[in-house]
Amino acid sequence: MQRPQDLEALQSGIIEPLMLRLYRMLDFAKTLISRKLTARRLRRNSPLPLDMQAQIIDVLPVMDRLSEEMPTIQLMGFKVAHRGANQLRWLFREICLNADYYFVSHNPRPKILDCGSNFGISILFFKRLYPQSKINAFEPDPKTFDTLKYNIHTNGLSDVDCHQVALGNFDGTVDFYQNEDENKSDLRMSVIHKRMPTRKKISVPSRKLSSFFDGNIDLLKLDVEGYPYAEGRLPESLHFAESDVIL
């Protein structure tokens, strides 16, 4: 006859692995259901072309298992390097799933000012939407800028000019507050200390936005951590061909 403690050990050795397996199956089922619902909402509500929708849906399983050990992914037909899995998930949701940067242009070669390009998901989005677009991209953080240039070069994108500058209301230099972890970017990184309350800062070039355009543009995208044009102080000489501004 088995002793009670032996029986408990036997039950524990059988039940615990079964419970763990059951929990994993439930997690997988929830993930699968969530993925299907996301795909359904995208097909129902997204203004994006159907082929772009299909490419975004294809990457949903990758985003579910994304980790820091995956330095690159395939997205919308592009190879994408990133600087942090959580940041990539956020940008994927904002730019691809929500289509926050979608715009309609009757110009097949729209001129775009992408202010706050990060590591380039927005650039890839614009280039997928309008392959012949002409883009000026701005990113002040040096390492994020390197990843931005890598993504543009690796995917053979043309008509994209990259500028490692902070956009401001003067030409000179400005303090820029970075993530303490130099291997990761952070959407809070900024020239405004209260947005990124860290002791790690560097000096970066500051340039006026008006230095980078000549004539009309089709889209101005502003994601510059609240400084200063996000407050609405746009250059008076800036003219829009189709009046598209994304803040």
Side-chain angles (χ1 to χ4, degrees):
M1 179 180 293
Q2 290 182 323
R3 293 176 298 176
Q5 57 267 37
D6 293 336
L7 183 59
E8 289 178 5
L10 179 62
Q11 291 174 337
S12 177
I14 294 174
I15 294 174
E16 288 183 3
L18 286 175
M19 292 298 293
L20 181 60
R21 185 175 180 183
L22 178 60
Y23 287 140
R24 287 174 177 171
M25 291 174 64
L26 289 173
D27 283 342
F28 176 76
K30 288 195 297 184
T31 299
L32 190 61
I33 291 171
S34 175
R35 190 187 303 161
K36 288 183 177 295
L37 290 175
T38 298
R40 183 180 299 174
R41 284 194 297 268
L42 186 71
R43 294 191 185 100
R44 182 180 300 169
N45 302 320
S46 178
L48 299 177
L50 294 179
D51 58 339
M52 280 187 74
Q53 292 182 30
Q55 289 180 323
I56 292 168
I57 290 171
D58 285 345
V59 83
L60 289 176
V62 178
M63 300 305 295
D64 286 337
R65 64 176 186 271
L66 184 67
S67 70
E68 304 301 338
E69 285 68 45
M70 299 171 61
T72 63
I73 66 167
Q74 291 291 324
L75 176 61
M76 297 183 297
F78 299 114
K79 180 180 179 181
V80 182
H82 62 89
R83 287 186 47 78
N86 289 336
Q87 186 186 43
L88 177 55
R89 287 192 190 94
W90 177 277
L91 293 171
F92 174 75
R93 182 171 62 251
E94 179 182 65
I95 297 173
C96 300
L97 294 181
N98 297 345
D100 284 352
Y101 297 165
Y102 176 77
F103 75 107
V104 176
S105 175
H106 299 294
N107 179 4
R109 302 193 66 188
K111 295 180 180 179
I112 300 170
L113 296 180
D114 187 355
C115 308
S117 298
N118 209 284
F119 53 81
I121 298 293
S122 54
I123 301 294
L124 302 179
F125 178 86
F126 292 138
K127 276 295 185 180
R128 185 66 183 80
L129 196 59
Y130 295 103
Q132 298 182 66
S133 58
K134 302 184 69 174
I135 303 173
N136 274 284
F138 305 89
E139 172 53 48
D141 181 66
K143 291 195 174 183
T144 306
F145 182 79
D146 288 343
T147 306
L148 167 66
K149 291 192 69 176
Y150 171 87
N151 284 331
I152 291 171
H153 176 75
T154 298
N155 292 290
L157 301 182
S158 60
D159 290 326
V160 180
D161 294 325
C162 298
H163 312 278
Q164 194 221 313
V165 300
L167 292 171
N169 51 13
F170 66 94
D171 292 334
T173 60
V174 65
D175 288 339
F176 184 80
Y177 296 90
Q178 298 177 298
N179 193 350
E180 295 283 358
D181 185 350
E182 65 179 15
N183 294 315
K184 294 182 181 180
S185 296
D186 192 307
L187 295 174
R188 298 172 299 165
M189 293 194 303
S190 176
V191 297
I192 300 176
H193 190 210
K194 67 180 180 180
R195 280 187 56 89
M196 189 68 183
T198 174
R199 290 173 295 180
K200 188 174 181 181
K201 69 176 181 179
I202 59 172
S203 179
V204 299
S206 174
R207 296 285 302 277
K208 294 178 181 179
L209 180 59
S210 57
S211 306
F212 297 97
F213 64 86
D214 181 17
N216 290 342
I217 67 165
D218 297 276
L219 176 73
L220 171 63
K221 187 216 95 180
L222 286 170
D223 187 4
V224 289
E225 292 76 41
Y227 178 80
Y229 300 124
E231 299 174 3
R233 297 194 296 271
L234 297 175
E236 293 181 359
S237 54
L238 186 60
H239 300 286
F240 298 95
E242 299 186 60
S243 301
D244 278 306
V245 182
I246 298 173
L247 299 178

